[in-house]
Amino acid sequence: MPEVTRVVLAEDGVLLREGLVGVLSRFGFAVVAAVGDGDALLEAVAEHRPDLVITDIRMPPDHTDEGLRAAVTLRREQPGLAVVVLSQYVQEEYASALLDTGDGLRVGYLLKDRVVDVEDFVAALRTVLGGGTVVDPEVVRRLLRRPRDPLAALSAREREVLGLLAEGHSNSAIAARLFVTEAAVGKHVGNILAKLDLPPAEDTNRRVLAVLAFLRS
Amino acid sequence: MSTQQAPWNARYLLTSGPWRALLYVLTTWPLAGLAGAAVGSLILPWLAAGLRLNDGRLLDGPLLFLMVTALLMFAVLGPLVAIPLAAVERGRLGLIDQRPVRSAHRSVAPEVLTWLRVRFTEAATWREVLYAIFLGLIVPLVYGAYGLLVLIDIGAILSPIFAVSGTDQWTFGVFTVNTFAQAIPLAIGGILLIPVLFHLLGFIATGQAATARVLLGDRDGTALHEVAQSRARLADAFEAERRRIERDLHDGAQHRLTSLTLQLGMARLDVPEDSPAAAPLAQAHDEAKELMVVLRELIHGIRPQSLADLGLPAALRELAARSPLPVTITVADGVQRPAPHVEGTAYFVASEALANVVKHSAAARADLLIAETAGMLVLEVRDDGQGGADPALGTGLTGLADRVAAVGGRVLLASPAGGPTLIRAELPCRR
């Protein structure tokens, strides 16, 4: 990660865009471009080569999923580009479309509600920049409630742990939340990976793969 | 017409019926006279030709010319006369028949050529021409016969006076009246005949009105078709309005609220935890966050985003994910994306039906099926609950049916006591 993170921001609401620029500046990000629609986003990224793209999903001219389409296009062209999309409402299909780009790493799908908890939002951005995947807890909650085969094998506790994993928490953070030891969390994670048929390997991103397995199935 | 005022009712004479019939018949006279003159003058050459042929003579040039001219004038002018005549007749029908009668003419642009083309090719126009012929040929004959009866009756009633003055002698078949005494029974018979004549007048007027209703009214339901169309337009207008409200809320209020909440979140970072402002600020921030959720749910209730963006199957999957019951969704092959108002209605049906399942059925699961057959979008919601759903018990099911009827569809329900319940909505999808 470079010393100063260069950000391109796309959001059609002027007030919110200014607010986000304020938040990002305050936490040491450099907003090199702030635009209002999908096409302008693609142009700005081509011009500024940012480290991070943050985009609203619903933007002009059609007010449907312009931002998401732009994000998917960007990820296809530069699979390693960190992209966080903001959505006004939970839409699993959008989350899946985004996670299916590249290897599913360095992406984030967040509800706009999360933005207003400034510190959590910035933490999520840093997780994505650091190579992680952040999916909004609301999406994760829905997915975990949905009955499907791989999940049926998991215990309630394991689902809980997987949910927190998907939100980008570390083992120690999960242990703190669930009031258990870190070793216990490690054991749960091991069980989850085993039940999801993700054998131990050199790859350190098995945790993320576990989350993706759910989102994609 | 109320049954009391029908001429076959015993109390007919005590109602306004006879007077209405009299008024109707009297006002028919000038119209029948005009129609008779027009029709008569046009069939005159044909009558003359019939007489000639009957006499064994051949038709000559001038007569053939007149016959053809009459036929052409009839074809060209007939509708132009019959259409306004029919309009007058439909209005006049109200004198003895209160049921509204609607013109069967299609509505047409006020452009002369279009108007002529539509009118001359409409069945309604030629039924009106037929009515004009009826008015010109049959009505005068019937009225003439009736008028003769009335004259005879007046003569019979006045016969004693004629007998006294000795001016006349009456002969009815073998019955001859010469003296005052002989005229008395005749006059009494004439007076007794008055109610019969009034009833007869009622029958004549009713018969004419019935003929007018059949020939001038909207038999094919053209007007009903237009009503259905305007209902669909209304449903479309509602749908557009819902989307406008949803978009205004989303692009206006929701954005500003998010921005405000973000500002409050920023302010919290700047205010030390031990400052007196910290607690109220935190509370304001939390309330703004809750308001964001409320507003998002509200907008979702107006029209789910996923429905507009991704279509019915995706929106239904989202709906199923929100349901506390396990819901399986099956989308049959070949289902195309319907018009927005149909899509919105289908979503509403699914949403209401699932809400009912959760609230009333005590079911453990539900199945939702979408298919398309013969231009109909079919949506079925099945549960394994206790059944016994009854539209009479609440407004939920009838509201559902109303909403579906507004787009021209229908709702079918099978819910025996003990279950299971199946709701099926059929929605015509326009292509």
Side-chain angles (χ1 to χ4, degrees):
Chain A
M1 197 161 58
E3 284 171 15
V4 177
T5 305
R6 292 153 45 77
V7 180
V8 168
L9 173 67
E11 159 65 55
D12 62 315
V14 179
L15 281 174
L16 184 57
R17 186 162 73 212
E18 292 311 309
L20 284 172
V21 169
V23 171
L24 292 168
S25 310
R26 184 192 171 104
F27 285 90
F29 295 86
V31 180
V32 291
V35 298
D37 64 70
D39 291 339
L41 171 62
L42 294 179
E43 283 168 27
V45 171
E47 186 188 337
H48 296 285
R49 299 267 148 211
D51 307 305
L52 172 64
V53 171
I54 302 172
T55 177
D56 187 9
I57 284 185
R58 183 165 153 157
M59 282 191 296
D62 296 334
H63 290 278
T64 52
D65 59 351
E66 290 77 5
L68 180 79
R69 278 187 274 133
V72 169
T73 306
L74 288 172
R75 287 277 298 172
R76 205 170 289 141
E77 288 165 2
Q78 309 170 49
L81 179 66
V83 173
V84 172
V85 301
L86 304 177
S87 177
Q88 197 68 260
Y89 62 100
V90 179
Q91 181 45 259
E92 292 151 27
E93 322 235 341
Y94 285 166
S96 314
L98 188 68
L99 291 162
D100 278 339
T101 61
D103 51 7
L105 301 175
R106 294 172 78 84
V107 290
Y109 176 94
L110 290 175
L111 277 186
K112 282 195 179 168
D113 290 20
R114 309 300 162 195
V115 172
V116 303
D117 286 315
V118 180
E119 285 171 309
D120 292 352
F121 172 58
V122 171
L125 295 183
R126 296 211 164 112
T127 303
V128 170
L129 277 166
T133 305
V134 178
V135 178
D136 196 278
E138 181 67 25
V139 180
V140 174
R141 199 172 57 76
R142 289 245 191 113
L143 287 168
L144 292 180
R145 210 177 49 189
R146 189 195 278 180
R148 60 171 104 212
D149 289 337
L151 254 191
L154 299 188
S155 69
R157 191 57 145 186
E158 284 160 0
R159 290 181 194 203
E160 210 172 350
V161 171
L162 183 60
L164 293 167
L165 268 184
E167 290 170 31
H169 295 287
S170 67
N171 277 12
S172 57
I174 294 174
R177 289 218 178 188
L178 299 180
F179 304 108
V180 297
T181 62
E182 209 174 321
V185 173
K187 208 174 127 217
H188 285 311
V189 173
N191 287 342
I192 292 167
L193 296 177
K195 286 179 181 176
L196 294 182
D197 202 18
L198 294 167
E202 283 303 301
D203 184 22
T204 52
N205 284 317
R206 283 201 299 152
R207 296 160 62 96
V208 173
L209 290 176
V211 175
L212 294 183
F214 280 109
L215 293 176
R216 286 171 175 159
S217 63
Chain B
M1 189 178 350
S2 70
T3 46
Q4 288 254 314
Q5 292 191 353
W8 48 87
N9 188 287
R11 300 172 62 84
Y12 174 66
L13 295 180
L14 302 177
T15 69
S16 63
W19 307 106
R20 288 171 170 278
L22 187 62
L23 195 59
Y24 186 70
V25 165
L26 287 178
T27 52
T28 298
W29 268 114
L31 293 165
L34 278 173
V39 173
S41 62
L42 291 180
I43 62 170
L44 213 53
W46 289 78
L47 278 178
L51 287 176
R52 274 185 180 232
L53 290 175
N54 205 30
D55 290 351
R57 287 182 291 163
L58 288 176
L59 305 178
D60 55 11
L63 186 57
L64 275 173
F65 175 75
L66 278 178
M67 287 165 71
V68 172
T69 308
L71 201 62
L72 282 176
M73 282 180 69
F74 176 77
V76 173
L77 297 180
L80 298 182
V81 175
I83 290 171
L85 178 70
V88 173
E89 283 299 277
R90 274 192 292 270
R92 227 163 47 82
L93 212 51
L95 282 176
I96 62 162
D97 192 339
Q98 304 295 318
R99 289 174 299 161
V101 54
R102 251 191 288 268
S103 158
H105 286 302
R106 276 181 284 149
S107 51
V108 59
E111 187 204 324
V112 177
L113 283 178
T114 316
W115 189 89
L116 287 175
R117 185 175 51 75
V118 170
R119 287 293 172 261
F120 273 79
T121 52
E122 267 180 327
T125 304
W126 297 99
R127 284 209 302 273
E128 289 174 348
V129 170
L130 197 61
Y131 180 79
I133 294 172
F134 164 78
L135 201 61
L137 291 182
I138 312 293
V139 168
L141 285 179
V142 175
Y143 280 22
Y146 182 78
L148 201 62
L149 267 182
V150 171
L151 281 180
I152 289 170
D153 193 50
I154 290 173
I157 293 167
L158 296 182
S159 62
I161 300 168
F162 293 135
V164 169
S165 59
T167 49
D168 221 334
Q169 171 185 315
W170 292 85
T171 306
F172 291 100
V174 294
F175 186 66
T176 308
V177 178
N178 284 316
T179 65
F180 181 76
Q182 283 173 324
I184 293 296
L186 189 62
I188 292 172
I191 290 169
L192 288 179
L193 202 60
I194 290 177
V196 177
L197 284 175
F198 267 112
H199 272 280
L200 191 58
L201 184 72
F203 275 114
I204 289 172
T206 306
Q208 189 191 338
T211 310
R213 176 171 290 279
V214 168
L215 288 177
L216 306 180
D218 179 27
R219 280 195 312 187
D220 307 332
T222 311
L224 278 178
H225 177 61
E226 299 222 334
V227 169
Q229 274 189 333
S230 82
R231 194 169 59 176
R233 279 196 294 273
L234 198 61
D236 278 348
F238 265 123
E239 189 57 32
E241 186 67 356
R242 287 165 77 87
R243 261 187 281 174
R244 188 190 65 74
I245 292 170
E246 177 260 333
R247 181 165 288 188
D248 284 356
L249 281 177
H250 174 83
D251 294 339
Q254 206 170 16
H255 269 165
R256 296 182 70 157
L257 183 57
T258 307
S259 166
L260 169 70
T261 316
L262 180 65
Q263 299 292 339
L264 287 171
M266 288 280 278
R268 277 181 83 173
L269 296 178
D270 293 326
V271 174
E273 292 233 359
D274 54 355
S275 143
L281 186 58
Q283 197 186 346
H285 188 219
D286 289 343
E287 281 184 15
K289 281 196 279 186
E290 278 166 31
L291 190 53
M292 281 173 65
V293 175
V294 170
L295 186 62
R296 194 177 58 224
E297 293 293 317
L298 185 69
I299 293 174
H300 190 89
I302 294 172
R303 183 182 166 87
Q305 289 293 318
S306 47
L307 184 60
D309 295 358
L310 301 170
L312 193 57
L316 290 179
R317 277 195 289 276
E318 193 196 316
L319 186 69
R322 284 168 166 248
S323 172
L325 287 180
V327 180
T328 55
I329 294 177
T330 311
V331 180
D333 291 337
V335 175
Q336 296 176 37
R337 195 157 180 184
H341 71 279
V342 173
E343 199 170 65
T345 305
Y347 182 83
F348 175 82
V349 169
S351 161
E352 282 292 300
L354 283 182
N356 281 344
V357 169
V358 171
K359 260 190 275 180
H360 306 298
S361 75
R365 54 168 297 104
D367 293 298
L368 211 155
L369 169 80
I370 316 173
E372 197 180 309
T373 46
M376 300 289 263
L377 182 72
V378 177
L379 182 100
E380 283 187 1
V381 179
R382 199 188 297 263
D383 69 54
D384 62 352
Q386 62 198 6
D390 185 353
L393 291 180
T395 54
L397 279 169
T398 46
L400 201 80
D402 286 347
R403 185 86 182 255
V404 170
V407 298
R410 59 178 187 159
V411 172
L412 305 161
L413 172 75
S415 186
T421 298
L422 171 66
I423 290 184
R424 177 188 171 101
E426 298 174 353
L427 307 161
C429 25
R430 283 186 293 173
R431 282 285 135 70

